[in-house]
Structures are given as C-alpha cells and as structure tokens.
C-alpha cells in the first residue's frame, strides 16, 4: 500500500517531516511522539489520551470543570492542531476538518507531477484518466472523485473510500498511491496504479473466451479484488431486487426505498439454471439483502463452489490479453448502436425519454441563465475579500450556478458516454484550463441531485459534443446551446466570467497564490449559494425520484445491461442520499 502509516497507530507531532520523496503521497508527516499525548488504541484520534499542561489549554486558558469536559476540550484542541498540521502540509481545510484520518501521514501530490492523458473510465462518482508520472514515466490511473466539499457528509463519504483503500494491501487490489489536491483546491484525484483490463472490457471482447477453469479462476480471484466486486455490485442490482422481494420484509432502515410496486418471486435458480447448484447457492448468499445473512469475501472463498471441480487454472497459464476496458466496450457498443439506429437511438434519446420534466426545466433555466448573463456586466464583477456576497459576486451567482451545472452536464454520472482516445496532453486542468477549472472547483458536486438535474436535452447534448473539442479530457464539458438566441453574448460573458473566477480562485493550480483566493470567501459565498441551489433542486428531486423508482426506464433500443447499470446507480444514489440525510438528522 502506498501508505506509510495507514496501518500504524495514529500519533501526531507539531513537526512535519518532509524528508520523504518530494511530491509523493507516501511522504511522511510527523509520526514522532508528541510529549503531550500518548496513544491508547491503534487507529482513532479519539483514542488518543491527552495529558497536556496548562499551556495546552487553549486560548482561554480556563481549566474545564470535569474530567470528561477536560478530555473533550483537549481533544478539540488536538483535532484543531492536527488539522492545522495537515493544512500546513498542503491539504485543503475542508478535507482535514472532516476526514483527517483518511489523509493522515500523507502529503498531497502535485498536479504537475503528472501528465494527464485520456479518459479511461467513468464511475458513478468518478471519472478516471490515464496519466503519466512526470518523474518516472510510470503510467497511473487518476480517479477524479465527485463530492461536495461544502458538505461534510459528502467529504466523509469520499474519505471513507480513501481510508479503506489505504488499508487494503493485496496483489488483486489496485493500490492507492496518493491523492492530488492542494490547500486551495476544491477537487481531488486519487492516484492508482494502472490496470490495463477490467472484466467488463475483457468479457466484451469478441475474441476473448474464457474456459471454465479460467472463468473459475477469475471468479476466485475477483473475490479478492475491488474491481470485480464492483461487477458483483452490478450483478447485485440485476438480480438483487428479486431476492429482496420474496415476501419477507426487510429490517433494513431504508428498505421501503427499494420496495417494488408488486412483489416478485426469486428467480435466481431459473435465471442461472445453467450454473451448478453450488454456484447459485453462493450467489444467493452474496445477494442476501440482510447484511447478517450476506456472505463475505472470506466466506465466499470457503464456499463449496470453490472447493469442487473444476478447480481454477493456474494464474500463470492465463493468456495475456490485449488491453481492454469497460470504456472501450461502451464506446464499441455506442458506435454499434449509432450505426444501427442512426440518430435518435443513442444516449440522447434515452436521456430525453427518461426525464422529460427535468429537461424542460433545464432548458428553461439555460435560457434564463443566458438572459442573465446577457444582462449583467460580468466584466465588472469583483468579489471583495471577505465580502458579504452582496456585491457583484452575489449578483452573478445564480447564473454561475446554472453555468457550472451546464458545464458539468456531460460529467453527470447518469449514462454518460465516456470519451476515449487522447484528448489532450499534459495536466491541462492545472495548466491551460485554469479558466474552466476555476468554475469547476467553485462548483459543488453534481453527484446526487445536481447530476439528475442535468439531464440534457438533445439540443444541449449536441452542443456538448461539439464543444468538447475545445476542452480537455471530457472531464469537463460545456453543454451550451449553439443554436439559441443570445448565444454570442452568452459565450462572451461566459469567457468573461471565467476570467473573473480565475482572478480570485485558482483551483487545481496547486501552487496557487492566495492573492485573490480566499477559502473563507468562497465558503461564505457558496454556503448561501448552496442553499439556493438546494432549494431549486427540490423541484427536480421529486421528478428524479419518480423516474428512478417507477415505470419502464428505457426505450426498446436499450440493452438490459444498461438498465441494470442504471438501476445500480439509482439505488446507490438513493442509499447515499438517504444516508446523508439521516446523517444530517442525527447531527453527525
Ligand atoms: N486503477 C485503474 N486503472 C485503470 N483503469 C481504472 C482504474 N480504476 C478504475 N478504472 C477504470 O475506470 C472505470 C470506473 O472506475 P470505478 O468503477 O472504480 O469508478 P467508481 O466511481 O468507483 O464507480 P462506481 O461507483 O460506479 O463503482 C472502471 O471501469 C475502470 O475501467
């Protein structure tokens, strides 16, 4: 694992140790013992017992009344102290404030240490890029995760993935090498070792046929690997609901979310009648809705399926397949569909079909945004440091929100067609495209409500495609109309707006000066903006939920796997949404 300290006990020190390899996430940040506290337990800050002197009592210097208070008081100080240390090491404050443990012992990697190549994957909450490490030439995968850095729950959610990845150390699990972000950045990239294949890619290759033993091997291996577990999740979404609806009521907190309109009988045995009973039994266990009944990876490995013939082949006997990834399969499929169906049978149709209301709303907002951009003199916009948001910055805000949403449209998770092939070279988002990045970094995550809201109309989608040329990597794509009235002024204002943002915020430019940027300023502005955005999102949310959980989702041209994929996404989104909400309710 790329982490020096992930398996070590937490201890902190005022001293930062930068002696490790420069620019590496593996660099060590102070693991020396601080005389003020000692460890008790192995991996939680909460378990640190503090025994500080009077000088450590904080600003007031007042001694708290009871032991409990004293401890929490000191722990608060300790947390602040750790946060300060992490920020000094280059981590953004929003991250260390809520997810200090996930980054503990690491220093952020620098964007310009990598040359970003083409987009190679699209996950529900991420876009994945191939990249080259400048110093070594090593090829890595950069996973840009989507989250809302102003939503502590969202950051925590993302950080949990990091924390788990850091703790995993296995040949079948892609290693997390580090994180790219900076003190002034609102986004983050996870740096992984590069994987040439994924199962979906391999399975989609017409030339690749697995023998039973190879298949078995892959299954067996895959229980040990994160990548394949993703595929199981997809699989789960395909048959899971049958299991869920066998008449037994689930005790899960959000079970009603998944409750279908009509009950189903489990059809696992029927669906997999060609599989041996041992395999179906294993699947059944793995798909149990109730967590306590569900098999773990370890129990799966011990299942009969893996101990009966045919045994897995020896890994060394596996042929070396040409690189093939899910994105290639998607692109091939998309090309095929376009060829067969011509216009109107692609993703655009699907998106339009699914969310007509959202589209209408988006189009209306788009027009409103254009109008507003036309009216406002954006070039005069100047956001004062520490301002209260009542100046030009605020005036521009609603437009900016809309604009950035439109910008992110293509990046929305639902049914995106990822780009393949080298679209740019160099770490463009840090160097050449600070303009876009400014807006992007300012933006909040499009996961959850935002992404749903951004389902484009076909007109927007068309423009998306053409606008992509001028921009980088498919990471950020403009969904601006070309054929709408007012387009020119919109374009001009858009450029101006980007310049303005660039002046006070240089996200993703990892050595940004603080001359114009103020995280507090951004925070103040966006807290208000977040409320506005959330308010307007409510309009869409109902529609989205309605679409997500009822009725036929696809037109006839769509394949079952797309349906399943989308189901999976919807389920995850619903779960995460409710998870966030319940987290908020409980004031976590
Ligand atoms: N380390 C890697 N090397 C090469 N490609 C990768 C790597 N990690 C991810 N990818 C590619 O990116 C795609 C999306 O990644 P992944 O499934 O991990 O994203 P995700 O956001 O976790 O998705 P989801 O939430 O839908 O599971 C994968 O299908 C894979 O092809």
């Amino acid at each position: 694992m790329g982490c020096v300290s992930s398996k070590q006990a937490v201890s902190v020190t005022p001293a930062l140790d930068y002696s490790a390899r420069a620019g590496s996430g593996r660099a060590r940040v102070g693991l020396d013992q601080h005389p003020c506290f000692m460890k008790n337990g192995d991996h939680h800050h909460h378990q640190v017992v503090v025994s500080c002197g009077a000088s450590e009592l904080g600003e007031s210097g007042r001694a708290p009344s009871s032991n409990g208070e004293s401890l929490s008081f000191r722990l608060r100080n300790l947390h602040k102290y750790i946060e300060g240390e992490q920020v000094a090491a280059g981590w953004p404050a929003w991250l260390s404030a809520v997810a200090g443990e996930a980054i503990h012992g690491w220093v952020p990697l620098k964007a310009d240490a990598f040359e970003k190549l083409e987009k190679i994957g699209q996950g529900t909450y991420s876009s994945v890029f191939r990249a080259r490490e400048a110093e070594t030439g090593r090829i890595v995968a950069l996973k840009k995760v989507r989250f809302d850095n102003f939503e502590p729950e969202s950051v925590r959610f993302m950080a949990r993935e990091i924390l788990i990845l850091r703790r995993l150390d296995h040949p079948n699990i892609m290693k997390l090498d580090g994180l790219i972000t900076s003190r002034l950045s609102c986004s983050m990239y996870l740096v992984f070792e590069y994987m040439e294949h994924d199962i979906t890619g391999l399975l989609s290759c017409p030339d690749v046929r697995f023998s039973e033993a190879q298949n078995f091997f892959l299954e067996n291996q895959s229980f040990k690997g994160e990548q394949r577990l993703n595929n199981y999740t997809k699989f789960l979404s395909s048959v899971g609901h049958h299991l869920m609806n066998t008449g037994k009521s689930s005790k899960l907190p959000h079970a009603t979310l998944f409750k279908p309109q009509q009950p189903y009988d489990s059809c696992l045995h029927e669906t997999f009648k060609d599989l041996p009973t041992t395999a179906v039994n294993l699947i059944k266990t793995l798909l149990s809705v109730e967590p306590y009944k569900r098999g773990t990876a370890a129990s799966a490995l011990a299942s009969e399926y893996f101990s009966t013939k045919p045994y897995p082949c020896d890994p060394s006997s596996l042929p070396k397949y040409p690189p093939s990834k899910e994105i290639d399969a998607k692109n091939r499929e998309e090309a095929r569909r376009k060829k067969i169906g011509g216009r109107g049978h692609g993703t655009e149709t699907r998106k339009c079909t699914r969310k007509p209301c959202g589209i209408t709303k988006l189009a209306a907002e788009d027009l409103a945004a254009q109008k507003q951009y036309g009216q406002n003199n954006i070039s005069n916009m100047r956001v004062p440091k520490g301002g209260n948001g009542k100046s030009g910055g605020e005036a521009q805000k609603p437009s900016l929100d809309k604009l950035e949403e439109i910008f992110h449209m293509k990046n929305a998770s639902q049914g995106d067609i990822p780009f393949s092939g080298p679209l740019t070279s160099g770490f463009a988002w840090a160097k050449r495209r600070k303009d876009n990045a400014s807006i992007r970094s300012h933006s909040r995550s499009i996961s959850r409500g935002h992404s749903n809201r951004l389902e484009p109309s076909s007109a927007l989608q068309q423009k998306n495609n053409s606008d992509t040329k001028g921009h980088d990597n498919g990471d950020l794509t403009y969904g601006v109309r070309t054929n709408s009235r007012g387009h020119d002024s919109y374009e001009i204002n858009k450029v101006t707006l980007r310049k303005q943002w660039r002046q006070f915020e240089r996200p993703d430019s990892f050595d940004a000066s603080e001359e114009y940027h103020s995280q507090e300023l951004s925070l103040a502005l966006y807290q208000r903006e977040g409320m506005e955005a959330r308010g307007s999102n409510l309009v869409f949310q109902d529609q989205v939920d309605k679409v997500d959980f009822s009725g036929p989702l696809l037109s006839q041209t769509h394949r079952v796997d797309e349906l399943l994929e989308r189901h999976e996404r919807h389920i995850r989104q619903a779960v995460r949404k409710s998870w966030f909400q319940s987290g908020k309710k409980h004031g976590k």
Side-chain angles (χ1 to χ4, degrees):
M1 199 72 238
C3 155
V4 164
S5 60
S6 62
K7 292 173 187 166
Q8 299 177 16
V10 166
S11 75
V12 286
T13 174
L16 293 182
D17 177 0
Y18 290 104
S19 59
R21 194 158 60 90
S24 163
R26 300 176 200 197
R28 184 168 168 270
V29 178
L31 291 172
D32 310 18
Q33 291 282 336
H34 188 285
C36 275
F37 36 78
M38 60 187 197
K39 292 172 285 167
N40 177 21
D42 61 357
H43 52 261
H44 286 295
H45 294 151
H46 312 71
Q47 292 173 298
V48 175
V49 174
V50 185
S51 58
C52 298
S55 62
E56 304 282 340
L57 289 178
E59 285 165 11
S60 72
R62 200 157 37 90
S65 54
S66 72
N67 280 345
E69 269 179 48
S70 165
L71 183 63
S72 71
F73 178 77
R74 288 169 181 181
L75 281 176
R76 262 202 312 277
N77 274 355
L78 175 60
H79 278 293
K80 283 205 181 109
Y81 189 78
I82 294 168
E83 265 176 63
E85 189 177 67
Q86 289 178 335
V87 170
W91 295 106
W94 52 261
L95 182 61
S96 64
V98 295
E101 197 182 351
I103 54 174
H104 178 77
W106 275 8
V107 291
L109 299 176
K110 292 213 184 311
D112 56 12
F114 297 89
E115 182 189 0
K116 193 178 181 188
L117 304 169
E118 74 275 13
K119 182 168 180 174
I120 52 166
Q122 176 76 58
T124 311
Y125 290 93
S126 68
S127 301
V128 185
F129 301 87
R130 201 165 67 92
R132 186 179 293 112
E133 194 175 26
E135 196 183 324
T136 61
R138 184 175 72 113
I139 295 294
V140 295
L142 301 185
K143 185 168 176 175
K144 176 164 188 181
V145 280
R146 277 191 285 272
F147 58 91
D148 182 342
N149 65 321
F150 290 105
E151 284 270 12
E153 280 309 318
S154 177
V155 176
R156 264 186 219 118
F157 196 90
M158 180 266 305
R160 208 169 44 168
E161 181 173 342
I162 294 170
L163 199 58
I164 292 169
L165 284 167
R166 285 184 63 168
R167 286 177 180 162
L168 295 174
D169 185 5
H170 191 279
N172 294 349
I173 298 177
M174 303 315 293
K175 195 169 71 179
L176 177 65
D177 274 349
L179 306 169
I180 300 174
T181 188
S182 77
R183 201 151 42 91
L184 304 177
S185 177
C186 301
S187 60
M188 180 141 74
Y189 287 78
L190 276 55
V191 183
F192 286 95
E193 57 182 325
Y194 184 73
M195 172 181 72
E196 281 194 329
H197 307 91
D198 56 49
I199 296 285
T200 313
L202 281 175
L203 290 176
S204 73
C205 284
D207 302 336
V208 175
R209 287 275 170 274
F210 295 118
S211 70
E212 212 172 336
Q214 286 171 348
N215 227 333
F216 194 101
F217 171 78
L218 288 168
E219 293 295 315
N220 193 346
Q221 288 293 301
S222 65
F223 279 112
K224 303 171 186 170
E226 183 217 20
Q227 196 54 45
R228 183 62 179 168
L229 285 177
N230 277 341
N231 291 325
Y232 276 108
T233 314
K234 285 181 182 146
F235 179 67
L236 173 73
S237 69
S238 71
V239 290
H241 69 282
H242 294 297
L243 286 180
M244 286 179 207
N245 301 300
T246 50
K248 292 170 199 146
S249 63
S250 173
K251 288 179 192 141
L252 291 173
H254 302 295
T256 46
L257 269 176
F258 309 106
K259 204 168 186 318
Q261 313 233 320
Q262 52 193 355
Y264 294 92
D265 287 329
S266 170
C267 56
L268 262 190
H269 282 282
E270 171 62 23
T271 309
F272 299 107
K273 55 178 179 289
D274 295 336
L275 293 182
T277 319
T278 50
V280 180
N281 288 342
L282 172 60
I283 292 168
K284 222 174 184 170
T285 320
L286 291 173
L287 296 182
S288 293
V289 179
E290 305 291 349
Y292 68 92
K293 286 188 194 157
R294 199 178 308 142
T296 60
S299 74
L301 284 171
S303 97
E304 212 186 333
Y305 174 59
F306 290 117
S307 57
T308 50
K309 284 187 179 175
Y311 299 117
C313 68
D314 191 289
S316 60
S317 72
L318 283 172
K320 174 93 179 129
Y321 297 108
S324 180
K325 301 176 71 57
E326 187 174 8
I327 195 170
D328 302 319
K330 277 187 179 168
N331 288 343
R332 273 198 300 270
E333 177 56 24
E334 191 61 28
R336 190 189 65 82
R337 200 179 293 142
K338 272 190 182 144
K339 206 169 153 193
I340 294 171
R343 292 171 79 88
H345 285 273
T347 310
E348 295 122 358
T349 310
R350 176 181 51 185
K351 289 183 175 180
C352 290
T353 312
R354 287 185 56 220
K355 296 187 178 163
C357 302
I359 292 159
T360 312
K361 181 83 177 174
L362 174 69
E365 285 196 350
D366 184 18
L367 283 170
Q370 290 180 36
K371 203 172 155 204
Q372 186 155 5
Y373 278 114
Q375 284 168 353
N376 294 332
N377 181 4
I378 299 177
S379 60
N380 288 332
M381 185 181 99
R382 179 83 190 172
V383 181
K385 263 202 161 185
N388 57 12
K390 287 189 176 163
S391 64
E394 188 187 28
Q396 301 309 319
K397 167 58 206 64
S399 301
L400 182 65
D401 254 359
K402 289 177 182 69
L403 180 62
E404 71 198 30
E405 285 168 6
I406 293 163
F407 285 179
H408 277 292
M409 189 188 307
K410 187 68 183 174
N411 216 14
S413 59
Q414 304 209 5
D416 266 12
I417 304 169
F419 296 88
S420 76
L423 299 170
T424 187
S425 68
F427 217 164
W429 81 83
K431 292 173 182 162
R432 274 177 283 151
R433 297 231 8 259
K434 282 180 288 184
D435 46 4
N436 295 340
S438 296
I439 293 164
R440 181 180 60 212
S441 96
H442 154 68
S443 80
R444 53 190 57 77
S445 161
I446 52 147
S447 57
R448 307 187 303 279
H450 274 72
S451 65
N452 295 327
R453 185 181 174 185
L454 297 175
E455 292 291 343
S457 67
S458 49
L460 289 170
Q461 184 85 7
Q462 273 176 8
K463 179 54 186 161
N464 260 352
N465 296 338
S466 59
D467 272 349
T468 307
K469 286 178 196 156
H471 307 294
D472 74 1
N473 312 4
D475 181 18
L476 183 66
T477 310
Y478 289 39
V480 185
R481 290 165 182 247
T482 44
N483 54 355
S484 301
R485 287 173 63 194
H487 167 70
D488 285 349
S489 68
Y490 183 45
E491 282 295 314
I492 292 163
N493 285 317
K494 187 175 75 183
V495 170
T496 318
L497 181 70
R498 277 196 244 130
K499 281 184 187 155
Q500 294 294 333
W501 273 108
R502 195 191 311 168
Q503 285 190 16
F504 74 89
E505 191 173 25
R506 298 177 60 201
D508 286 342
S509 63
F510 288 71
D511 53 351
S513 86
E514 289 183 69
E515 188 180 354
Y516 296 108
H517 180 89
S518 153
Q519 200 140 15
E520 289 72 24
L521 166 64
S522 305
L523 183 63
L525 281 171
Y526 300 140
Q527 271 171 347
R528 189 203 331 252
E529 294 160 10
M531 289 173 75
E532 286 171 21
R534 270 189 283 280
S536 59
N537 268 350
L538 291 176
V539 178
F540 292 96
Q541 204 51 56
D542 287 343
Q543 297 160 357
V544 168
D545 287 346
K546 209 186 286 172
V547 174
D548 283 353
F549 296 106
S550 68
L553 296 177
L554 299 175
S555 66
Q556 288 175 352
T557 52
H558 294 107
R559 290 170 36 144
V560 174
D561 55 346
E562 284 183 4
L563 171 68
L564 303 179
E565 225 173 79
R566 208 156 333 136
H567 271 164
E568 179 202 346
R569 278 199 295 269
H570 296 161
I571 289 169
R572 283 186 192 195
Q573 281 167 357
V575 170
R576 289 178 191 191
K577 195 177 105 187
S578 60
W579 190 80
F580 286 142
Q581 281 168 352
S582 74
K584 271 185 199 162
K585 257 189 225 151
H586 293 99
K588 282 177 196 167

